[in-house]
Amino acid sequence: MGRARKVVLAYSGGVDTSVCIPYLKQEWGVEEVITLAADLGQGDELGPIKEKALKSGASVSLVVDGRESFVKDYAFPAIKANTLYEDRYPLSTALARPLIAKMLVEAAAAYGADAVAHGCTGKGNDQVRFEVSILALHPELKVLAPAREWGMSREETIAYGERFGIPTPVKKSSPYSIDRNLLGIAIEAGILEDPWEEPPEEVFILTKAVEDTPDEPEYIEIGFERGIPVSLNGQTLDPVDLISQLNDLAGKHGVGRIDMIENRLVGIKSREIYETPALLVLIHAHRDLESLTLTADVTQYKRSIEDTYSRLIYQGLWYSPLKTALDAFIDQTQERVTGSVRVKLFKGSAKIVGRKSENSIYATDLATYGAEDQFDHKAAEGFIYVWGLPTRVWSEKMRGQ
Ligand code: ARG
């Protein structure tokens, strides 16, 4: 008896996940491996990937288009929460994991599988995100992680694959580990492991070097409805088009590069390079529109939970009671976050230069320094008396001692 009879494996088409197919069957006695490749806009051709899984021994090779759900159900809630892990990373990779986990669980039910599997190693965040999401959705389902246990080096993995007809990668494999989807690219390893080394230009795919960006600024206008981006330059777009067009626009101006040392969930610090043009612009624009439409106390209170929300996404707790509870709060705050934000893209920066909303609570007659001023200046005196009272009492006491 093997570890499982029928397994649905999360499949990318790379060497590791391909080798998982014969490995599960040969070493762990699995009878049938069904692969699932999620199309999340990673730009790979999925036809050949589907074929490759079958050639590597999969009985069924599924390709599921998850792009729309990825943006609507995973990226948009993150934008509403202005999520930036450790103040910088907009979670482009992390957000994909709970969706892939959900697809695996659904496929396991549809095909009567008794386990699901992934190709993550034991050092990363993604194994945690996959497994915690899977157990949240289906606590009884077994999860197999062959690449975490097989202990093969890269060369050994390739050699193992060759025995089962998995071709050796033709290109000299890139020294970098790259994870890509519609929301962006995460790049690590190789020379990037030295935090002092500047990332070589060759690692970037979505964004231009500032040296190569246009010499003229470009103004764009993003429309939001209830906290969700719905249009670009006055044109209503579906979620997937909006993200891809904005990636192109912002990337062309060198916007969206991040170079950071981040704290992984498994205790390791890692140096990661990200390219997330659209997501970064949208978070900044959204946050700005909130400052026009939310009261001071809601804005400030919301900021304090945004960090919690970012961390729970990073830490694999998408399907958790805390996330559900915070969503209720966040969705309530978004009721009136409707309007437009004008952004100036120029030489690696995306500056917010204008915002407007039918729900704006910015009051010109109160803010103005001109003749139309309606603010009652005399009222400030009494306010300062009351506001400063505790400080006055404290200060008098201190001086008297
Ligand atoms: N550090 C990022 C995260 O945990 C990305 C992980 C995948 N990165 C990669 N280069 N393969 O969300």
Side-chain angles (χ1 to χ4, degrees):
M1 219 343 234
R3 298 201 192 190
R5 197 179 56 77
K6 199 193 261 194
V7 174
V8 181
L9 167 71
Y11 188 66
S12 71
V15 175
D16 286 322
T17 54
S18 296
V19 168
C20 284
I21 304 170
Y23 193 89
L24 284 168
K25 297 190 348 187
Q26 302 297 322
E27 318 297 328
W28 288 4
V30 171
E31 287 165 29
E32 199 183 331
V33 177
I34 296 163
T35 55
L36 186 149
D39 179 4
L40 300 184
Q42 58 271 54
D44 292 332
E45 275 200 67
L46 291 152
I49 289 182
K50 191 179 165 93
E51 280 305 302
K52 190 170 178 189
L54 295 171
K55 282 207 196 99
S56 310
S59 61
V60 179
S61 174
L62 304 168
V63 172
V64 185
D65 182 356
R67 289 173 303 159
E68 186 172 332
S69 174
F70 185 37
V71 179
K72 273 170 64 175
D73 306 326
Y74 297 83
F76 283 176
I79 291 168
K80 289 196 259 183
N82 301 318
T83 49
L84 293 173
Y85 178 67
E86 296 185 334
D87 288 333
R88 290 198 277 175
Y89 164 44
L91 299 159
S92 44
T93 292
L95 285 164
R97 303 313 178 207
L99 173 55
I100 297 170
K102 181 162 159 276
M103 290 173 169
L104 289 173
V105 170
E106 284 168 0
Y111 286 84
D114 55 337
V116 294
H118 62 75
C120 301
T121 64
K123 275 172 84 169
N125 297 314
D126 288 329
Q127 50 169 348
V128 184
R129 296 172 183 148
F130 277 135
E131 294 187 32
V132 175
S133 298
I134 291 161
L135 68 86
L137 296 169
H138 192 330
E140 287 86 41
L141 194 61
K142 267 186 274 184
V143 186
L144 308 181
R148 194 164 58 198
E149 291 185 39
W150 66 35
M152 293 190 280
S153 67
R154 177 102 191 136
E155 292 70 31
E156 287 162 349
T157 310
I158 292 171
Y160 186 95
E162 276 171 349
R163 283 173 43 207
F164 296 96
I166 295 164
T168 312
V170 263
K171 303 180 285 192
K172 191 179 156 349
S173 67
S174 147
Y176 307 109
S177 159
I178 296 172
D179 181 72
R180 178 171 185 177
N181 62 46
L182 195 57
L183 300 181
I185 305 189
I187 312 142
E188 61 184 346
I191 193 178
L192 302 172
E193 284 174 3
D194 179 350
W196 182 248
E197 283 293 334
E198 181 176 356
E201 203 45 46
E202 63 179 20
V203 307
F204 297 103
I205 300 169
L206 293 177
T207 57
K208 283 260 186 295
V210 169
E211 293 82 349
D212 301 328
T213 57
D215 291 324
E216 292 298 321
E218 184 167 353
Y219 289 86
I220 59 169
E221 191 178 318
I222 302 166
F224 288 88
E225 256 169 44
R226 296 180 176 200
I228 288 170
V230 292
S231 68
L232 195 54
N233 294 329
Q235 200 193 350
T236 303
L237 292 174
D238 74 63
V240 172
D241 286 341
L242 191 137
I243 298 281
S244 28
Q245 291 188 23
L246 189 53
N247 269 335
D248 291 347
L249 279 170
K252 187 174 80 184
H253 289 275
V255 169
R257 291 187 177 184
I258 300 159
D259 174 350
M260 69 187 279
I261 310 295
E262 75 187 34
N263 291 297
R264 279 192 202 164
L265 193 43
V266 293
I268 302 169
K269 279 190 189 294
S270 65
R271 200 276 188 94
E272 193 93 49
I273 305 298
Y274 297 104
E275 294 186 278
T276 56
L279 203 49
L280 276 186
V281 171
L282 289 170
I283 289 172
H284 288 132
H286 172 264
R287 197 197 326 234
D288 194 277
L289 187 60
E290 286 189 330
S291 66
L292 190 68
T293 52
L294 301 184
T295 56
D297 55 356
V298 171
T299 308
Q300 288 157 13
Y301 188 79
K302 182 167 180 285
R303 294 287 171 268
S304 73
I305 67 161
E306 288 172 358
D307 187 50
T308 306
Y309 200 93
S310 309
R311 261 182 295 131
L312 74 82
I313 294 173
Y314 191 87
Q315 298 175 343
L317 299 173
W318 183 267
Y319 304 112
S320 68
L322 179 59
K323 153 87 170 40
T324 311
L326 294 181
D327 275 337
F329 172 82
I330 292 167
D331 285 341
Q332 179 64 42
T333 64
Q334 299 304 293
E335 284 292 306
R336 296 180 65 78
V337 185
T338 295
S340 293
V341 180
R342 225 151 62 87
V343 187
K344 178 181 180 178
L345 304 171
F346 189 51
K347 296 284 172 206
S349 84
K351 282 211 178 75
I352 312 295
V353 293
R355 67 291 279 164
K356 65 177 179 193
S357 166
E358 65 205 32
N359 301 328
S360 168
I361 47 174
Y362 174 89
T364 312
D365 58 357
L366 292 177
T368 184
Y369 289 99
E372 322 76 67
D373 187 4
Q374 293 295 315
F375 185 77
D376 181 356
H377 289 243
K378 288 200 297 301
E381 195 182 325
F383 168 73
I384 294 165
Y385 173 78
V386 176
W387 174 246
L389 201 54
T391 310
R392 178 196 301 274
V393 172
W394 177 81
S395 180
E396 281 171 356
K397 181 75 183 171
M398 293 298 281
R399 284 161 60 97
Q401 279 169 353

